[in-house]
Amino acid sequence: MDSLPPGFHFFPSDEELVGYFLYRKVASLPCQPPIIPTLDLKLYKPWELHGKALQSGSYWYFFTRKTTNRVSNYGYWNDCDADKQVTVMGNDIVGLKKTFVFYQAPEEIKTNWVMNEYHLLNAIATYNSNSNNNSSSSSSSKSSRSAKKRRQPKIECNKWTLCRVSEANHDVQTGLFNEDETELSCLDEVFLSLDDLDEISLLK
């Protein structure tokens, strides 16, 4: 997967990642241009995503199959914070954002790689259905209504997730994580552990 062309910046909000990109992936709807690739999370170490996932700044984006097993031969992703709700227009809860830190095998060394994993909730189907109904004409026949119902995309919320991976020290330098307090606390935990390792090495 190549990086974005010059002048093209991809910094979507949580709402856009869930309400547009992940929704269209789950509903098998086209997304033009199809810039976010689909990868198997277990096949790559986070620092191997370059050239495979969509890179924008110090973030890597990709779709992957939803799973509760985030363990591979290279290590595992450990949940490090409470789930956060993703809302549309500040009201409807349409998704969840989970935060993980990568531990490298076999020593289970805690790294400074962080992953946000976005999940779609069933509420997104109701939200999009209501949006379509509000924009449609009030005068429609019974046959046209049934045709629209048949055209509604099948939503399989438990099939896909959207992942955003970044290296913690890059984000701290650019300030990209300052928008989210829970992510800062997660990153602080990473750096404190790295500081502890430095102190131990000095005492040897």
Side-chain angles (χ1 to χ4, degrees):
M1 179 72 192
D2 294 332
S3 298
L4 296 171
F8 189 99
H9 298 280
F10 184 76
F11 293 109
S13 63
D14 291 346
E15 176 183 331
E16 292 166 337
L17 287 173
V18 173
Y20 181 78
F21 291 99
L22 184 54
Y23 169 73
R24 298 189 75 82
K25 176 68 172 179
V26 169
S28 299
L29 295 173
C31 180
Q32 299 298 334
I35 56 176
I36 302 180
T38 299
L39 302 175
D40 187 339
L41 178 65
K42 298 179 182 180
L43 295 182
Y44 304 100
K45 303 172 186 176
W47 49 89
E48 295 177 338
L49 292 172
H50 180 72
K52 300 177 179 67
L54 168 65
Q55 182 180 1
S56 182
S58 55
Y59 290 103
W60 285 265
Y61 298 85
F62 60 94
F63 295 111
T64 192
R65 292 279 184 175
K66 186 174 181 179
T67 180
T68 57
N69 182 12
R70 301 173 184 84
V71 180
S72 69
N73 293 332
Y74 308 116
Y76 62 92
W77 291 96
N78 188 54
D79 191 349
C80 73
D81 215 332
D83 296 351
K84 298 203 70 176
Q85 296 175 341
V86 178
T87 60
V88 175
M89 303 298 292
N91 297 315
D92 297 309
I93 301 171
V94 295
L96 292 175
K97 180 171 70 171
K98 299 175 180 288
T99 304
F100 301 87
V101 170
F102 186 73
Y103 285 74
Q104 188 174 3
E107 299 87 357
E108 297 190 4
I109 298 175
K110 188 176 187 179
T111 72
N112 58 344
W113 286 90
V114 178
M115 178 174 70
N116 293 131
E117 190 179 78
Y118 295 88
H119 295 254
L120 200 65
L121 301 180
N122 289 323
I124 191 69
T126 303
Y127 171 80
N128 281 279
S129 178
N130 291 338
S131 299
N132 292 334
N133 290 338
N134 292 335
S135 61
S136 63
S137 172
S138 58
S139 58
S140 58
S141 64
K142 184 181 295 186
S143 60
S144 64
R145 288 198 300 269
S146 61
K148 289 180 181 178
K149 186 176 181 180
R150 286 196 300 270
R151 288 196 297 268
Q152 287 292 331
K154 184 180 180 181
I155 308 297
E156 296 179 309
C157 296
N158 294 324
K159 189 175 181 180
W160 296 101
T161 63
L162 197 163
C163 299
R164 181 180 69 183
V165 176
S166 58
E167 193 173 7
N169 58 346
H170 288 172
D171 292 331
V172 170
Q173 291 173 3
T174 58
L176 292 176
F177 264 99
N178 289 340
E179 64 191 60
D180 196 304
E181 292 182 358
T182 60
E183 286 174 328
L184 279 173
S185 64
C186 179
L187 295 177
D188 289 340
E189 182 183 351
V190 172
F191 281 107
L192 285 173
S193 65
L194 295 176
D195 290 339
D196 291 340
L197 290 175
D198 292 337
E199 291 178 3
I200 293 173
S201 62
L202 290 174
L203 291 175
K204 291 182 178 180

